[in-house]
Each structure stands twice: as structure tokens, then as C-alpha cells.
Amino acid sequence: MVATSDGGHWIQMRRILPAFEGLDVCYVGVSPEPDADMSAARYYCVRNATRRNPHWFAVIVWQLVRIVLKERPDVVVTTGAGPGLMALAVGKALVRSRTLWIDSVANSERLSLSGWLARPIADVHLVQWPHLARPNGPEYWGAVF
Amino acid sequence: MDAWAAAVDGEEVLAQIGQGSYEPRNMTWMRNLPRSQYSDTVARADLVIAHAGIGSLIVAGEYGKPIVVLPRRARYGEHNNDHQVDTAARLGAWRGVYVADTEAQLGRCIAQARCSSADVEALEKTAPAGFLDRIRLFATGEKTAP
């Protein structure tokens, strides 16, 4: 399962999709419609929530619980932000999904708030700038460009 | 941007204004372009002018278009923090990226971007193979190299 917010987060996610070629992938986003090349049957829309409208996080968790129980993803991957963090947490808690957090490449000087919160629930926690990697902390495997 | 659009002759200027309260008078505008329409629009454009959002920079790069960016700043309530200033500093070295630190520099940056007709080399549409390989190994559950 790939669960990612809109805008730059989604655009970064698109650039890593070739990694999942041939695998059974479903998508969770905050836009009402999937991209033209995505199967509508494998796309789920959740509410968007940010630190400006945090009350929506409760709604997202409920939406994600239903999606995760239906899909039972082996793996949950996100490029951020808030909704992606929630997807890792719900996948981990309900079906013990393996979780991958990829912090946005837009965070070049410090980890994002959602990235920091993702630390305890991400099996692999990546940053996209080598100087942000730390021993026993976030790893650097490369970047979306 | 609206004043700039009034002053340029013979150019079609299209604005995506989001939730902004100001409604442009000299540009065709919409609140939000759907993703596919956004990329089609960039593909047809000669120049992109945006904030320093990573999505704007990546899409302009993927189509090999020059882009002028004015980073959003927390002190004007434009974003949570100044990460766009950091992004602009890191990616300002990309060919075809012109960074305006202040609104006052915008006009000069746009002029520079418009005269430099040098082709911008388009960014590959996917992440580098090494990064994709490691993500795939994680997804398929195979052991990743240390």
C-alpha cells in the first residue's frame, strides 16, 4: 500500500512507483480521483489533514482502519505527510505491515515534524539528503532525483 | 504577478491561485488544476513561476522548463516553516532554476529566465535505479544490503 498526501509528496511518490512494478499495489491519497494511469478500484481517497486542521486526523484514522482491514497490506510506504504517517501507524497496529517512511526531499536541513513522529513506527526510516542520516537514526538510500 | 501579466505583451499567462483571496484581472486563472492538467500545462509552457515547492520544481524539471521560484516564508504566514528557502538554496544550482529571494527580485529573475533560451536538460521521470532497487528489496521482503 502506498499512502501519500497531495502536491510534492505525491509527485515524489510517482517517481518511486517503478520499484513496485509487478507487485499488487493499492493507493491512498487525498485527491478525490486517482491519476489517469491508476486503477480506480485500487485507489482510496481519505480526508486531508495537516497541523492546521488536526481534527481531521480522527476521520483519517477511521477511514484508514477500514482500508487496512480490507487490503491487509504486507507493506505500507509513504513519502509523507500526515495522512501517510497515519497509514503507517494503522497498518503496523492492525495487520503488522512492514513500514517505510521516506521523508520529503523538500526537508533538506532537518527532518519534518511528521518524519520525526514516524520514527517509532517505521521499520525503515529514510531521509533523502545524506547529511541528514544518523547512526541509529534515519538512513539515506538515495533520493527521488 | 498580476501587474507583471498586465505589462507583458503577447504572452498567455495562466495562474493557479489556490485559496488566495486576490483574484487576478490580467491573467486567466483557476483555483487548482487537476494533476494531469497541471503537467500538460507545464509541458506547453515556456516558463514556470512558482513558490519553491518541491512538486513545482520536479514537474518543471521533468519537462525541461525553466522555473522562477519565490520561496514561501513562515514570517509572512505563507508556510509552517522556511523549508522552501532551504529547498531553493539546495536546488538553485539546478540548470534552469532561478531563485528570487524577495518579491523585488522577481522581475529580474523572470527577465533572466526568459532571455536564457538555453535548453534545460529534462529530469528523468523516475528516481535513480539504485534507490528504486533498495525500495523494491524492502517491498518484496528480501534482505537489503547493509
Side-chain angles (χ1 to χ4, degrees), chain B residues 2 5-6 8 24 33-35 39 41 43 55 57 65 69 74 76 81 85 92 102-104 120 134:
Chain B
D2 202 22
V8 286
L33 278 164
R35 272 193 291 270
S39 35
T41 304
L57 282 154
K65 303 295 178 174
V69 296
Y76 303 132
N81 55 39
V85 178
T102 62
E103 204 176 320
V120 180
R134 293 193 74 172

Coordinates of all heavy atoms in Angstrom, one line a residue, chain B residues 2 5-6 8 24 33-35 39 41 43 55 57 65 69 74 76 81 85 92 102-104 120 134:
Chain B
D2 N 0.1 39.7 -11.2 CA -1.0 40.3 -12.0 C -0.5 41.5 -12.7 O -0.8 41.8 -13.9 CB -2.2 40.5 -11.1 CG -3.5 40.6 -11.9 OD1 -3.5 40.0 -13.0 OD2 -4.4 41.2 -11.4
A5 N 1.8 40.5 -15.4 CA 1.0 40.0 -16.6 C 0.4 41.1 -17.4 O 0.3 41.0 -18.6 CB -0.1 39.0 -16.1
A6 N 0.0 42.2 -16.7 CA -0.6 43.3 -17.5 C 0.5 44.0 -18.3 O 0.1 44.5 -19.4 CB -1.1 44.4 -16.5
V8 N 3.3 42.5 -19.7 CA 3.9 41.7 -20.8 C 2.9 41.6 -22.0 O 1.7 41.4 -21.8 CB 4.3 40.3 -20.4 CG1 5.6 40.3 -19.6 CG2 3.2 39.5 -19.8
P24 N -7.0 37.5 -9.9 CA -6.2 38.2 -10.9 C -7.2 38.8 -12.0 O -8.2 38.2 -12.3 CB -5.3 37.2 -11.5 CG -5.2 36.1 -10.5 CD -6.5 36.1 -9.8
L33 N -5.6 23.2 -10.6 CA -5.6 22.4 -11.8 C -5.5 20.9 -11.4 O -4.6 20.6 -10.5 CB -4.4 22.7 -12.7 CG -4.5 23.9 -13.6 CD1 -3.1 24.3 -14.1 CD2 -5.3 23.5 -14.8
P34 N -6.3 20.0 -11.9 CA -6.0 18.6 -11.6 C -4.6 18.2 -12.1 O -4.1 18.9 -13.0 CB -7.1 17.9 -12.4 CG -8.1 18.9 -12.8 CD -7.4 20.2 -12.8
R35 N -4.1 17.2 -11.4 CA -2.6 16.9 -11.6 C -2.3 16.7 -13.1 O -1.3 17.2 -13.6 CB -2.3 15.6 -10.9 CG -1.8 15.8 -9.5 CD -1.2 14.5 -9.0 NE -2.2 13.5 -8.8 CZ -2.9 13.3 -7.6 NH1 -2.7 14.1 -6.6 NH2 -3.8 12.3 -7.5
S39 N 0.4 19.0 -15.4 CA 1.6 18.6 -16.1 C 1.5 18.9 -17.6 O 2.4 19.4 -18.2 CB 2.0 17.2 -15.9 OG 0.9 16.4 -15.7
T41 N -0.1 21.5 -18.8 CA 0.1 22.9 -18.9 C 1.6 23.2 -18.8 O 2.1 24.1 -19.6 CB -0.6 23.6 -17.7 OG1 -2.0 23.2 -17.8 CG2 -0.5 25.1 -17.8
A43 N 4.0 21.3 -19.7 CA 4.6 20.8 -20.9 C 4.5 21.8 -22.0 O 5.3 21.9 -22.9 CB 3.9 19.5 -21.3
G55 N 7.3 20.0 -5.5 CA 6.5 19.5 -6.7 C 6.6 20.4 -7.9 O 6.8 19.9 -9.0
L57 N 9.1 22.3 -8.6 CA 10.5 22.2 -9.1 C 10.6 20.9 -9.9 O 11.3 20.8 -11.0 CB 11.5 22.3 -8.0 CG 11.7 23.7 -7.5 CD1 12.2 23.8 -6.1 CD2 12.8 24.4 -8.4
K65 N 11.7 22.6 -18.3 CA 11.2 24.0 -18.4 C 12.0 24.9 -17.3 O 12.1 24.4 -16.2 CB 9.7 24.1 -18.1 CG 8.9 23.3 -19.0 CD 9.0 23.8 -20.4 CE 8.1 22.9 -21.3 NZ 8.1 23.4 -22.7
V69 N 11.5 30.7 -8.9 CA 10.8 30.4 -7.6 C 11.0 31.6 -6.6 O 12.1 32.1 -6.5 CB 11.3 29.1 -7.0 CG1 10.9 27.9 -7.9 CG2 12.7 29.1 -6.7
A74 N 7.8 31.6 6.5 CA 7.0 31.4 7.7 C 6.6 32.8 8.2 O 5.5 33.0 8.7 CB 7.7 30.6 8.7
Y76 N 5.8 35.5 6.9 CA 4.6 36.1 6.2 C 3.4 35.2 6.4 O 2.4 35.4 5.7 CB 4.9 36.4 4.8 CG 6.1 37.3 4.5 CD1 7.0 37.0 3.6 CD2 6.3 38.5 5.3 CE1 8.1 37.8 3.4 CE2 7.4 39.3 5.1 CZ 8.3 38.9 4.1 OH 9.4 39.7 3.9
N81 N 7.1 26.6 8.1 CA 8.5 26.9 8.4 C 9.2 27.3 7.1 O 8.5 27.5 6.1 CB 9.2 25.6 9.0 CG 9.0 24.4 8.1 OD1 9.1 24.6 6.8 ND2 8.8 23.3 8.6
V85 N 12.8 27.9 1.6 CA 14.1 28.7 1.5 C 15.2 27.7 1.3 O 16.1 27.9 0.5 CB 14.3 29.6 2.7 CG1 15.6 30.4 2.6 CG2 13.1 30.6 2.8
G92 N 18.8 25.7 -6.2 CA 19.0 26.9 -7.0 C 20.2 26.6 -8.0 O 20.3 27.3 -9.0
T102 N 13.5 37.8 -2.8 CA 12.4 38.7 -2.4 C 11.5 39.0 -3.6 O 11.9 38.8 -4.7 CB 13.0 40.1 -1.9 OG1 13.7 40.6 -3.0 CG2 14.0 39.9 -0.7
E103 N 10.4 39.6 -3.3 CA 9.5 40.0 -4.3 C 10.1 40.9 -5.3 O 9.9 40.9 -6.5 CB 8.2 40.6 -3.7 CG 7.0 40.5 -4.5 CD 5.8 41.0 -3.8 OE1 5.6 40.8 -2.6 OE2 5.0 41.7 -4.5
A104 N 11.0 41.8 -4.7 CA 11.6 42.8 -5.5 C 12.5 42.2 -6.6 O 12.8 42.8 -7.7 CB 12.5 43.8 -4.6
V120 N 17.0 23.5 -21.0 CA 17.2 22.9 -19.7 C 17.1 21.4 -20.0 O 16.1 20.9 -20.6 CB 16.1 23.4 -18.7 CG1 16.3 22.7 -17.4 CG2 16.1 24.9 -18.6
R134 N 16.6 -0.6 -3.9 CA 16.6 -0.8 -2.5 C 15.2 -0.8 -2.0 O 14.8 -1.6 -1.1 CB 17.5 0.2 -1.8 CG 19.0 0.0 -2.1 CD 19.8 0.8 -1.2 NE 19.9 0.2 0.2 CZ 20.8 0.6 1.1 NH1 21.6 1.6 0.9 NH2 20.8 0.0 2.3

